[in-house]
Amino acid sequence: MARPVKQRRVCELPGTMEFAPCSNENYNIVKMTVDEYEVIRLIDHLNLTQSDCAQQMDVARTTVQAIYDNARSKIADTIVNGKKLVIQGGTYTLCSQSGSCCGKNCSLRRGLLGHCRDQSRADICCGKNRFCSKLL
């Protein structure tokens, strides 16, 4: 019997759920899950390591690596072959602080009232001080 899939914590839903080439209306569709999007956001956009990403999503690092490989393959397929990318579904739970928090390293969760303790990690803070790149 297969092991049940663990819910992945997602801190932010995509602002845009579909991406498509402008020149081609008869495109094939590639579906990316919300948890795959979150791994791309955390690793490629916020520059987290796979270990930090795993901690934030509350899964194993090997799980993040597998999700990351799938997500990058889907992104490459859409770009190289001119396909439409649709982000939907997946096995995830939305963080209760969604929109104002980005995981365990957030100053909101540390009780620091919006001040990052470690300025090298300010990009994953809740965004309430001048060092944070995610200003509210």
Side-chain angles (χ1 to χ4, degrees), residues 4 16 19 23 26 59 82 101 117:
T16 304
F19 300 88
S23 61
N26 296 322
V59 294
C101 174
R117 189 180 310 169

Side-chain angles (χ1 to χ4, degrees), residues 32-43:
M32 175 182 279
T33 62
V34 174
D35 47 321
E36 288 172 332
Y37 161 82
E38 180 74 349
V39 168
I40 292 293
R41 186 180 78 83
L42 294 174
I43 294 174

Side-chain angles (χ1 to χ4, degrees), residues 76-96:
D77 186 24
T78 60
I79 293 170
V80 171
N81 297 313
K83 296 180 179 180
K84 179 179 182 178
L85 179 67
V86 177
I87 303 170
Q88 65 183 17
T91 307
Y92 70 94
T93 56
L94 194 58
C95 176
S96 62

Side-chain angles (χ1 to χ4, degrees), residues 92-112:
Y92 70 94
T93 56
L94 194 58
C95 176
S96 62
Q97 300 293 326
S98 178
S100 62
C101 174
C102 201
K104 294 178 181 179
N105 293 318
C106 177
S107 62
L108 189 65
R109 288 191 179 184
R110 290 192 312 249
L112 297 176

